[in-house]
Amino acid sequence: MKRRIVILFGGRSAEHEVSCVSARSVMEALDLERYEAIPIGVTKEGRWQLMPGGPPALSAGSEASLPRVTEESGPEVALDQDPGARALIERDGSRTQIDVVFPVMHGPYGEDGSIQGFLEMAGVPYVGAGVLGSAVGMDKAVQKVLLAAAGIPIVECEVVHEHEWEEDPEGVEARARRLGYPLFAKPATLGSSVGITKVHGPEELRAAIGETFRYGRKSLLEKSVEDAREIECAVLGNDDPVASIAGEIVPTHEFYDYEAKYLDEHGARLVIPADIPQETLAEVQRLAIAAFRAIDCAGMARVDFFLRPAGKLIVNEVNTIPGFTQISMYPKLWEASGVSYRELIDRLVELALERHELERKKGTGV
């Protein structure tokens, strides 16, 4: 029998539109002989909408053309909260049994452990990291503490809480001076380069920090690694994760910002495989797996690095639900490593079911 897989996308975060684009790619790659796909879009207000036509498509041109889930997208649906029921319920009371959920939800309320905890409570298997790994993957401030504790080299940074900025902006400015300019100001719990500003000098700091606090109450100031190459590596697995070959991002913008990623088709060049020595590749793969384990990840992650001219590697961050479009680095790295997009989705589903079954046997799953 075909497995019923829920593709869950959209959501309440600023990365809503990016999630729709990723979900459409996942839907189009599913093996329809093995899976029956049930696309569910989550509106920016948090309502679940059944979308028989699949995730909305991307239109070229501008941010306004990015797809969104609205209440008009389809009938409202809810997940049965009876543990182990594994069913969707429509307003008329009709029920649809499901086997696994693939959350393709970037950012808060999707990638941060929120939806993972919801699915755990309902006893539904799902693709990707669990509650803890997802939360740490989203919160880059906490993530860096764990990476450093594991002996993994990280970018020098300062964590700034909103109340600190409001009560003592001069103190925060002094901390920024100690880091040195240029630096990056970024929301601590967001991705897709949303809310990030490259700060070239102190006169730009206040506006940049103000922008970060539009998206959360905690921000990061990170020293810019000016002379580095941007290297990425994909990780796949549960207890015995494996790493892909490495790729390189070569931005045409000043840095790999939101526009370069999603709005400008010439915003960056992906070089796969990265032109690096074999011993550097081996270290990228070692550190990628170490970072994956350090944050208690499962299923999948993309680990981003800076490579300095002398060959030193620094981990920038771990992404637990990386971009999943056909041109995104995560699936392209696995394709270049011998795992097709379709096979990658198969493996992720199997890893989700494997982890759920192991937890069920331990009494922590339903």
Side-chain angles (χ1 to χ4, degrees):
M1 293 178 63
K2 292 182 181 181
R3 282 182 174 145
R4 285 199 179 114
I5 179 170
V6 170
I7 310 297
L8 194 63
F9 58 93
R12 294 165 57 190
S13 94
E15 298 178 72
H16 176 107
E17 294 83 359
V18 178
S19 169
C20 294
V21 178
S22 288
R24 189 167 186 88
S25 293
V26 172
M27 280 279 296
E28 291 173 349
L30 282 178
D31 183 349
L32 298 182
E33 292 186 359
R34 298 189 61 187
Y35 302 106
E36 178 185 340
I38 303 175
I40 294 179
V42 182
T43 68
K44 291 222 171 185
E45 295 72 36
R47 295 184 178 87
W48 289 29
Q49 311 292 143
L50 188 61
M51 299 178 63
L58 172 68
S59 300
S62 69
E63 187 170 354
S65 67
L66 287 169
R68 295 189 181 190
V69 179
T70 67
E71 291 186 27
E72 292 72 43
S73 298
E76 193 169 335
V77 67
L79 180 68
D80 191 330
Q81 290 299 287
D82 185 16
R86 299 191 194 179
L88 298 170
I89 307 173
E90 294 185 49
R91 281 188 174 276
D92 62 4
S94 60
R95 300 168 60 85
T96 302
Q97 296 299 126
I98 60 174
D99 295 301
V100 64
V101 172
F102 195 142
V104 194
M105 301 177 72
H106 306 305
Y109 308 108
E111 193 176 353
D112 62 353
S114 299
I115 196 66
Q116 289 78 11
F118 181 61
L119 295 170
E120 292 275 4
M121 291 291 289
V124 178
Y126 58 90
V127 169
V131 176
L132 177 61
S134 297
V136 175
M138 189 81 266
D139 191 322
K140 304 304 187 291
V142 175
Q143 181 185 125
K144 288 179 185 296
V145 172
L146 292 179
L147 294 178
I152 296 168
I154 61 170
V155 180
E156 188 178 354
C157 66
E158 289 279 346
V159 180
V160 180
H161 295 268
E162 189 173 27
H163 72 88
E164 294 177 307
W165 178 241
E166 292 172 345
E167 295 166 7
D168 186 18
E170 291 80 11
V172 173
E173 289 171 338
R175 290 158 63 189
R177 283 197 299 275
R178 285 195 294 271
L179 277 179
Y181 292 95
L183 56 81
F184 284 93
K186 58 175 67 175
T189 56
L190 206 58
S192 297
S193 297
V194 174
I196 294 181
T197 304
K198 186 171 184 179
V199 183
H200 302 86
E203 69 282 355
E204 299 176 4
L205 183 65
R206 293 204 171 203
I209 290 181
E211 175 67 10
T212 67
F213 288 130
R214 289 180 56 205
Y215 302 99
R217 300 181 61 242
K218 185 165 60 176
S219 299
L220 277 178
L221 300 180
E222 288 186 348
K223 187 174 181 63
S224 178
V225 187
E226 288 291 287
D227 54 352
R229 297 162 64 186
E230 297 187 39
I231 304 296
E232 299 189 349
C233 184
V235 182
L236 179 68
N238 288 335
D239 294 339
D240 297 303
V242 293
S244 71
I245 64 169
E248 181 174 4
I249 300 284
V250 184
T252 58
H253 294 218
E254 185 175 14
F255 69 98
Y256 198 33
D257 60 5
Y258 186 91
E259 182 178 352
K261 288 179 178 178
Y262 306 112
L263 303 179
D264 182 357
E265 60 180 310
H266 305 295
R269 183 165 55 92
L270 308 187
V271 180
I272 303 174
D275 184 14
I276 56 178
Q278 188 62 38
E279 58 270 23
T280 303
L281 171 60
E283 182 65 0
V284 165
Q285 293 171 324
R286 184 190 73 80
L287 285 172
I289 291 173
F292 185 91
R293 286 179 164 147
I295 72 164
D296 195 31
C297 202
M300 61 179 168
R302 192 193 71 237
V303 184
D304 302 344
F305 296 85
F306 294 121
L307 175 61
R308 303 296 297 271
K312 180 182 178 182
L313 285 162
I314 303 170
V315 171
N316 181 24
E317 62 184 40
V318 182
N319 293 276
T320 57
I321 303 184
F324 246 92
T325 71
Q326 293 284 0
I327 61 169
S328 294
M329 187 63 103
Y330 187 84
K332 287 181 76 69
L333 285 172
W334 279 118
E335 184 177 23
S337 302
V339 182
S340 70
Y341 196 116
R342 178 170 288 189
E343 184 183 357
L344 177 61
I345 293 172
D346 288 344
R347 291 197 188 184
L348 288 169
V349 170
E350 293 304 323
L351 288 167
L353 295 170
E354 171 193 281
R355 186 168 65 87
H356 182 81
E357 181 62 17
L358 288 173
E359 291 179 355
R360 187 188 66 79
K361 288 179 178 177
K362 294 292 184 182
T364 57
V366 178

